[in-house]
Amino acid sequence: KMQLSNRANNVFIDSDDLSDLDHLFDIVKTKVVALVAYLTRDTLRRPWCAGEITTAFHASKAKVHTVWTPSFFPPTERDMEDLSSYVDVSGCNLKRYGILWETVADSFLKLLNPGETPSIQLAHAPKFLMHYTILTEAILKGHVGALFTNKTERLNRIVPIAGQVAISADQGDDDATAAAGILALKIQEQLFRQDKHDIPVSSLVEKNL
């Protein structure tokens, strides 16, 4: 969100406010022009994500894009037959918002069909802020296909800076690396300097715990 907000207006992330799902789904229905589904291990298991995706496909004109992270595995055929068990509905009943499981299943099929929904497949989860910059550019330019190949890996150059801050996070945990990225952005002036091409060069050090 923070990266996209620098390049586009009115960017929001659903987790900013999950207190009123009726309002959230209405925003997707009436105001969202593009929905980016960032698919991690548990994305489709979250009822508000399932509701937003279903609303985008069936009740709005929003263009849907997906970003597949390595931790994401699509629901199995058995999962699709019983989405009420696959999706964590302990704190949310989608039927209350007029969303039926049959419609959710249809939306998931559309979402996971690369011929119907443009998708970016990450070779690995973002590790450096440069990765988020590259991903932001890819989303804005409508890139489709693999990202973070060996070519893009060569763009990562850790520049030693006296007194630098190291942020340690589990690279195998998408939520942890995202949180580390947000923290680094918040204190970017202390963690980064610009190279001659004005590209942010990361001094962020992450390791597996």
Side-chain angles (χ1 to χ4, degrees):
K1 173 188 173 180
M2 295 176 70
Q3 290 275 357
L4 283 170
S5 294
N6 293 329
R7 302 288 305 279
N9 295 324
N10 300 323
V11 178
F12 84 100
I13 185 170
D14 56 9
S15 57
D16 285 345
D17 184 5
L18 296 174
S19 61
D20 187 348
L21 293 187
D22 203 13
H23 179 61
L24 177 63
F25 297 154
D26 186 63
I27 289 176
V28 174
K29 180 179 180 179
T30 62
K31 297 182 179 180
V32 169
V33 296
L35 175 71
V36 178
Y38 192 84
L39 301 176
T40 63
R41 179 182 56 203
D42 296 322
T43 301
L44 296 186
R45 294 182 181 274
R46 294 167 177 150
W48 56 89
C49 294
E52 291 171 62
I53 290 166
T54 302
T55 301
F57 277 115
H58 288 272
S60 82
K61 296 181 179 180
K63 296 181 179 179
V64 182
H65 306 261
T66 60
V67 177
W68 294 50
T69 69
S71 69
F72 174 69
F73 291 94
T76 64
E77 185 175 341
R78 179 174 294 182
D79 292 331
M80 294 293 291
E81 292 174 352
D82 187 15
L83 285 177
S84 62
S85 297
Y86 175 79
V87 178
D88 180 8
V89 295
S90 56
C92 173
N93 183 358
L94 290 177
K95 288 185 178 180
R96 173 185 173 188
Y97 304 98
I99 298 174
L100 304 178
W101 290 117
E102 294 83 358
T103 314
V104 175
D106 180 71
S107 300
F108 279 7
L109 290 174
K110 292 179 179 179
L111 183 82
L112 301 175
N113 181 353
E116 189 156 355
T117 301
S119 64
I120 296 173
Q121 296 85 36
L122 304 186
H124 57 71
K127 301 175 184 178
F128 299 92
L129 290 193
M130 175 57 75
H131 289 154
Y132 289 103
T133 301
I134 294 171
L135 178 56
T136 298
E137 289 291 333
I139 292 172
L140 292 174
K141 293 180 179 179
H143 174 85
V144 174
L147 201 62
F148 301 157
T149 60
N150 291 334
K151 180 179 179 180
T152 58
E153 283 302 285
R154 291 196 292 270
L155 292 174
N156 299 308
R157 302 190 300 281
I158 299 177
V159 179
I161 301 174
Q164 71 182 29
V165 175
I167 300 176
S168 178
D170 182 357
Q171 292 182 9
D173 187 325
D174 293 322
D175 292 332
T177 54
I182 292 171
L183 176 60
L185 280 172
K186 289 291 186 180
I187 53 176
Q188 185 169 345
E189 290 183 0
Q190 289 75 32
L191 291 180
F192 294 92
R193 71 184 185 188
Q194 305 291 320
D195 71 2
K196 63 181 180 180
H197 297 297
D198 234 9
I199 299 176
V201 181
S202 173
S203 63
L204 173 63
V205 178
E206 296 173 325
K207 65 180 181 180
N208 289 315
L209 299 177

